[in-house]
Amino acid sequence: MKRGSISIVGAGPGDPELITLKALRRIQNADVILYDRLVNEELLNYAPSEAVRIYCGKAPGLHSMPQEATERLMIRHAAAGSHVVRLKGGDPFVFGRGGEEALSAAAAGIPYEVIPGITSAVGAAASAGIPLTHRGVAASFAIVTGSRCQAEDSPVRWEALAHSVDTLVIYMGVSKLGDIRKELLGHGKDPQTPVALIENGTTVRERTVTGTLGNIDKVAAAMKISNPAIIIMGEVVKVRAELLSLEEAVRSQIG
Ligand code: SAH
């Protein structure tokens, strides 16, 4: 019997062209693909037609397949000799539970690998014209989760982040914007700090809105920004407007 394997693969942030060559090759060679909600389904077209495609997505609040069931399925197929591709949005090790999946593959004694992907913060920032670091403006950035903000056991140390990092990128935070704002303002972050929200970054449906820490929850509500979206906070957000106005100036000279 052929030996099975598990590839825990990052599909990139949304634009199907932003997948790595290595990831694409694993898809082309897959027997079984277990894919998540944020994976661009166009990528499944690269799999052999006989490959089994299984959706394991979780819509927020609606768990269509619990994590344990996904891991069991992944191991069962690999143990039966299949090349399993566990395809995940962005990068598997950035809020993707890829670590848990690697641990369960290792515990089951199944050969596995992790193939990185462009995480949505990096993809969306590039697409929206916001450099996460910028000489003279920002020398550090942090990626944090906005879920469970203000919960007693919030996994994020907002107090430290309010002052010690130049650019903050917050995943899973749009529905918690009010709490995040309160938390950061409460720890003394400047209400004038520029903020951008990028919805469906790198896809044809990408939308970016900007505001300040003081008003961003109102801007988001007015523009009906919803998931998936990331929040970028810091002076680097101003570079976007600078780029847009330079492009506009050049266009009007040509035109
Ligand atoms: N492993 C993924 C993150 C999964 S957590 C990665 O590396 O990107 C899910 C969160 O990712 C969403 O709530 C949202 O904040 C962010 N996200 C995923 N895709 C996105 C996209 N195309 N645009 C903006 N944010 C996105």
Side-chain angles (χ1 to χ4, degrees):
M1 191 178 74
K2 111 178 166 185
R3 191 145 194 245
S5 65
I6 294 173
S7 300
I8 302 168
V9 173
D15 176 349
E17 286 194 301
L18 290 176
I19 193 166
T20 65
L21 194 52
K22 192 165 190 168
L24 191 64
R25 288 190 172 139
R26 294 301 182 275
I27 292 173
Q28 287 169 331
N29 201 30
D31 299 311
V32 177
I33 301 189
L34 302 171
Y35 65 100
D36 278 353
R37 184 173 60 96
L38 290 172
V39 166
N40 190 318
E41 293 194 16
E42 265 181 56
L43 290 169
L44 301 176
N45 295 333
Y46 291 96
S49 54
E50 66 279 12
V52 179
R53 295 153 167 83
I54 304 170
Y55 177 73
C56 310
K58 307 168 192 71
L62 276 173
H63 290 262
S64 52
M65 188 186 289
Q67 178 68 18
E68 300 68 34
T70 304
E71 288 174 22
R72 272 200 303 275
L73 204 58
M74 175 180 92
I75 285 168
R76 180 149 54 81
H77 281 289
S82 292
H83 290 306
V84 177
V85 169
R86 174 70 182 109
L87 193 59
K88 309 175 75 74
D91 180 84
F93 277 2
V94 178
F95 301 127
R97 305 191 75 167
E100 291 157 62
E101 292 168 11
L103 284 166
S104 73
I110 290 170
Y112 73 95
E113 63 180 345
V114 180
I115 299 179
I118 296 178
T119 192
S120 49
V122 170
S127 185
I130 302 172
L132 295 175
T133 67
H134 196 55
R135 188 169 283 260
V137 179
S140 60
F141 71 90
I143 287 178
V144 304
T145 173
S147 73
R148 294 184 21 240
C149 176
Q150 290 213 315
E152 295 250 316
D153 62 341
S154 173
V156 173
R157 290 184 296 130
W158 295 103
E159 186 179 358
L161 288 167
H163 302 291
S164 58
V165 174
D166 296 328
T167 306
L168 273 180
V169 187
I170 306 168
Y171 287 50
M172 297 173 276
V174 177
S175 61
K176 291 281 184 331
L177 254 183
D179 289 344
I180 292 167
R181 174 180 167 275
K182 219 188 288 169
E183 197 71 54
L184 288 168
L185 290 176
H187 289 301
K189 199 162 179 73
D190 184 351
Q192 292 307 318
T193 308
V195 181
L197 304 177
I198 307 164
E199 179 189 74
N200 289 308
T202 80
T203 74
V204 288
R205 288 165 294 129
E206 176 173 318
R207 280 204 299 163
T208 300
V209 300
T210 55
T212 61
L213 180 56
N215 70 14
I216 195 65
D217 49 342
K218 293 197 180 64
V219 173
M223 299 298 290
K224 297 194 163 52
I225 296 290
S226 65
N227 265 313
I230 57 157
I231 305 164
I232 303 182
M233 209 176 278
E235 292 300 314
V236 288
V237 167
K238 291 181 180 161
V239 176
R240 170 179 165 82
E242 219 179 302
L243 283 169
L244 291 175
S245 74
L246 285 170
E247 287 167 19
E248 182 53 40
V250 170
R251 254 197 311 274
S252 66
Q253 272 167 21
I254 295 169

